[in-house]
Amino acid sequence: MNPTATRPLVDLEKWKQQLPELKARYQTDQPYPHISVDNFLEEWAAEKAMASFPAIQDEGWIHYVHVNEKKHGLNKMELLPPFIQEVITYLNSPEFVAFMSELTGIPNLKPDEMLEGGGLHQSKRGGFLNVHADFTVHPHKRNWKRRVNLLVYLNKDWKPEYRGDLELWDRNMTGVVAKIAPIFNRIAVFNTDDDSYHGLPDPIQCPEDMTRKSIALYYFTEEKETPKLRPTNYQARPGDGIKSVAIWLDKQAVATYTRVKRTLGIDDKMVSKILNIFGGKKK
């Protein structure tokens, strides 16, 4: 039984029984270790989480609007709806994190209770996220190496023509190897290696009254030696042409912000204003 609910949010015993199969899929899938699993939360929990999901106009959202992305994030636990706090607390619990270590084959994973870069993500029509490999080290914990992403999708009636699939690119950035549609109550889990390139680079085409919603949680390992710091590494796709220059320049701006953030320990809410200045856009 989950400690945060009278009913289980996840039937973890069921998923533990399937671990041999899930582990084999995870560790052999290409282009790098990953898996998607449908109906992961208990149905009532997924429904309640989706119903609780706050609107972009609500307090606390960070507006990431620049050349390499157009999305919105909310990572302040105290501003999240109570039930979504319960879901995140469970997915960061020792019991669940141990399950994630078993699934991925990475021992001693640690949850990020600060939700740096994670929490809730939401994109409106026209939103996108260029292909990238994630930042490698926790901004405020210098020995914490980022290892695994967990995404929980909360999008009912999501159609293929809306786009928004998570694209997994090969390690040489020559093409897409796998796609994961962001359908309701599906999770995506994948390693965050230096060259685990992923994104949703084509603008979302959902109706104006819909958004692409997900819970995003990141897991780390604590290293004895300080791992090499590298900010989000955006990549141009073959055929991007002159756009490749804008992608590179914007990547340098984000890298500068990352270094300043790490040095000064500034709050992530500043990212919205800074990235809007770099992108020449308003939220």
Side-chain angles (χ1 to χ4, degrees):
M1 182 69 69
N2 300 329
T4 55
T6 55
R7 291 184 286 174
L9 304 176
V10 176
D11 186 351
L12 198 58
E13 291 306 313
K14 177 183 74 174
W15 297 116
K16 284 180 178 178
Q17 291 174 11
Q18 298 182 36
L19 262 176
E21 175 194 347
L22 297 176
K23 287 168 64 174
R25 284 174 52 197
Y26 186 89
Q27 295 172 22
T28 58
D29 272 357
Q30 297 297 320
Y32 44 80
H34 76 275
I35 196 170
S36 65
V37 180
D38 290 344
N39 303 311
F40 189 76
L41 299 178
E42 290 295 276
E43 181 72 15
W44 73 270
E47 293 277 1
K48 189 170 181 178
M50 185 184 67
S52 303
F53 212 94
I56 290 172
Q57 296 77 19
D58 291 349
E59 181 185 2
W61 286 92
I62 299 168
H63 305 282
Y64 300 95
V65 181
H66 56 115
V67 170
N68 278 311
E69 62 183 329
K70 185 178 181 182
K71 71 174 186 181
H72 312 272
L74 180 55
N75 68 348
K76 296 300 179 186
M77 195 70 160
E78 66 273 14
L79 296 179
L80 300 179
F83 185 72
I84 290 181
Q85 290 186 32
E86 288 188 21
V87 173
I88 290 176
T89 297
Y90 178 71
L91 297 178
N92 278 343
S93 68
E95 178 186 26
F96 187 79
V97 175
F99 170 81
M100 291 291 288
S101 282
E102 283 288 323
L103 171 66
T104 61
I106 301 173
N108 303 315
L109 287 174
K110 292 180 175 292
D112 177 24
E113 296 180 355
M114 297 177 70
L115 302 180
E116 281 290 331
L120 303 187
H121 290 166
Q122 190 165 191
S123 298
K124 299 189 288 187
R125 180 182 176 90
F128 64 93
L129 175 60
N130 281 341
V131 179
H132 63 283
D134 290 314
F135 63 84
T136 55
V137 180
H138 194 286
H140 307 296
K141 299 180 180 181
R142 295 177 182 270
N143 280 53
W144 279 36
K145 182 178 180 180
R146 187 166 168 182
R147 304 300 299 273
V148 175
N149 286 0
L150 166 65
L151 306 176
V152 183
Y153 294 118
L154 297 171
N155 306 296
K156 272 213 167 172
D157 303 317
W158 193 267
K159 299 179 181 179
E161 57 264 34
Y162 297 165
R163 300 182 181 175
D165 288 1
L166 176 67
E167 298 183 358
L168 308 183
W169 282 65
D170 66 58
R171 296 181 186 272
N172 296 316
M173 277 300 299
T174 61
V176 180
V177 176
K179 292 184 178 184
I180 300 173
I183 64 173
F184 179 70
N185 204 13
R186 169 177 286 173
I187 65 166
V189 184
F190 55 95
N191 278 19
T192 53
D193 302 327
D194 287 352
D195 51 4
S196 296
Y197 296 119
H198 60 280
L200 42 138
D202 295 316
I204 295 167
Q205 298 297 308
C206 63
E208 294 286 353
D209 61 349
M210 289 183 70
T211 60
R212 183 187 186 275
K213 304 175 181 69
S214 62
I215 299 172
L217 298 177
Y218 309 147
Y219 302 92
F220 295 75
T221 53
E222 187 171 7
E223 304 295 315
K224 292 182 179 180
E225 297 184 6
T226 303
K228 182 180 179 181
L229 173 66
R230 194 213 61 218
T232 303
N233 184 17
Y234 292 102
Q235 296 287 307
R237 297 174 292 174
D240 272 341
I242 192 64
K243 182 182 175 183
S244 303
V245 177
I247 290 172
W248 185 86
L249 290 172
D250 188 72
K251 177 170 67 172
Q252 305 314 307
V254 172
T256 298
Y257 170 77
T258 301
R259 288 191 291 269
V260 171
K261 175 181 174 182
R262 184 178 179 86
T263 301
L264 301 181
I266 61 177
D267 190 274
D268 209 29
K269 288 185 72 174
M270 287 295 295
V271 76
S272 199
K273 293 181 181 178
I274 292 172
L275 293 181
N276 285 337
I277 290 171
F278 286 140
K281 299 178 182 178
K282 296 180 180 179
K283 61 183 180 179

